[in-house]
């Protein structure tokens, strides 16, 4: 698939996943700008419950003039392009469309449409969009170059996880604004998010048998879970970590692994199997479990273990869900099952 393949359509929507990070914003911005350069009037959107509010992302949108909209409904567009995610995936709101295209760098999680550019070995989706723009002979202006550079920077652990030559080309050749990128770096967390991270780290569980850390974080932007995960993985005694946050409609998870025997993406899929969605890359992944499915599987778990269910109620007493400690027990059971299978396979 080439970007020019999209020009045959008129009503075009570019869609990021439901919790847009810097890479999703940059990728969407790149496709959006290409279409505008070629006389189209696209929209750049995302769905889901969460509005972009993380400090560096708000600054990125405002500083670079990224025209992104939060939407609850789309009226069957002629072409829907998902970026940094795959159509029908668990991390992106499903909207009907006459035609669909996918641009992504994650592992394939389902059937892809005929129009796609999925390169799972790339460090960022921004790299793919940058390369597609170069294929079309587009002069990448400074604001867009800055967005693409920052998307790669954030998705590759500040360039430490770059392995492909195209990622290195974007890092070395992009004409980015270093002053703006420095501002983004210095706005990565708010004081409130720092408090959430500090509290989460103090309460972590460590399972020496697996060199695994399990961390419960307070309600926060899903991207903060990734920051906590990255901090945890810097500890010399930890090779694997799972960070989770209980929110109103479910549980958001972040996974990390720094050993070849354990795939973070596989781990996310197994923990969320049959009750949610999970996936990502070999060393970094995420997942989400809806609360209604979590309640069902928790009741099954309690019956199988012959233990008394532990529930808590909302402040108005109208909604019941498993307690945070109960959710932690269930998640740990699932991750232990996965790691036990891995250990047996290695032996």
């Amino acid at each position: 698939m080439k970007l020019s393949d999209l020009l045959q359509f008129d009503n075009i929507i570019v869609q990021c996943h439901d919790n847009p990070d810097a890479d999703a914003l940059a990728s969407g911005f790149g496709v959006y700008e290409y279409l505008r350069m070629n006389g189209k009037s696209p929209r750049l959107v995302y769905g889901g419950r969460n509005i972009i509010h993380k400090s560096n992302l708000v600054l990125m949108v405002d500083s670079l003039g990224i025209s992104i909209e939060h939407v609850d409904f789309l009226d069957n567009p002629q072409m829907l392009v998902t970026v940094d995610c795959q159509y029908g995936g668990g991390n992106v709101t499903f909207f009907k469309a006459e035609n669909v295209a996918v641009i992504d760098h994650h592992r394939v999680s389902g059937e892809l449409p005929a129009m796609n550019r999925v390169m799972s070995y790339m460090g960022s989706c921004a790299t793919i969009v940058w390369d597609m723009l170069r294929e079309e002979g587009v002069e990448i202006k400074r604001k867009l170059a800055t967005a693409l550079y920052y998307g790669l920077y954030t998705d590759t652990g500040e360039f430490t996880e770059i392995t492909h030559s195209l990622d290195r080309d974007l890092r070395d050749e992009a004409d980015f604004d270093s002053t703006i990128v420095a501002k983004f770096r210095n706005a990565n967390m708010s004081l409130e998010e720092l408090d959430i991270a500090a509290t989460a780290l103090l309460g972590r569980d460590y399972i020496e048998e697996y060199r695994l850390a399990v961390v419960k974080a307070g309600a926060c932007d899903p991207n903060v879970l990734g920051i906590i995960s990255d901090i945890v993985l810097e500890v010399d005694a930890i090779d694997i970590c799972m960070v989770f946050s209980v929110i109103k409609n479910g549980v958001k998870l972040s996974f990390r692994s720094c050993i070849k025997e354990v795939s973070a993406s596989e781990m996310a899929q197994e923990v969320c199997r049959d009750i949610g969605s999970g996936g990502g890359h070999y060393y970094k992944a995420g997942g989400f479990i809806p609360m209604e499915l979590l309640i069902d599987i928790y009741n099954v778990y309690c019956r199988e273990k012959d233990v008394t269910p532990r529930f808590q109620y909302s402040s108005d007493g109208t909604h019941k869900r498993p307690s945070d400690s109960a959710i932690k027990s269930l998640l740990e059971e699932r991750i232990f099952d996965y790691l036990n299978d891995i250990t047996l396979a290695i032996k």
Side-chain angles (χ1 to χ4, degrees), residues 1-2 102-104 116-119 128 131-132 135:
M1 171 192 166
K2 293 183 177 181
V102 170
I103 303 173
D104 191 25
N116 76 80
R117 179 76 72 95
V118 178
M119 305 170 76
I128 300 172
D131 192 48
M132 295 176 82
E135 287 178 353

Side-chain angles (χ1 to χ4, degrees), residues 305-326:
K305 299 294 181 182
D306 193 24
V307 297
T308 303
R310 287 172 284 143
F311 287 99
Q312 67 184 51
Y313 289 83
S314 59
S315 57
D316 60 5
T318 58
H319 298 289
K320 183 176 75 170
R321 69 163 176 82
S323 65
D324 290 356
S325 60

Side-chain angles (χ1 to χ4, degrees), residues 211-223:
R211 294 174 62 86
L212 163 71
V214 177
V215 181
K216 179 193 172 298
C220 60
D221 187 289
N223 293 308

Side-chain angles (χ1 to χ4, degrees), residues 54-56 186-191 193-194 197 224 227 231:
K54 194 165 178 291
S55 304
N56 64 321
N186 293 334
N188 208 28
M189 292 180 74
S190 67
L191 285 173
E193 289 167 341
L194 179 62
V224 174
I227 295 174
I231 293 172

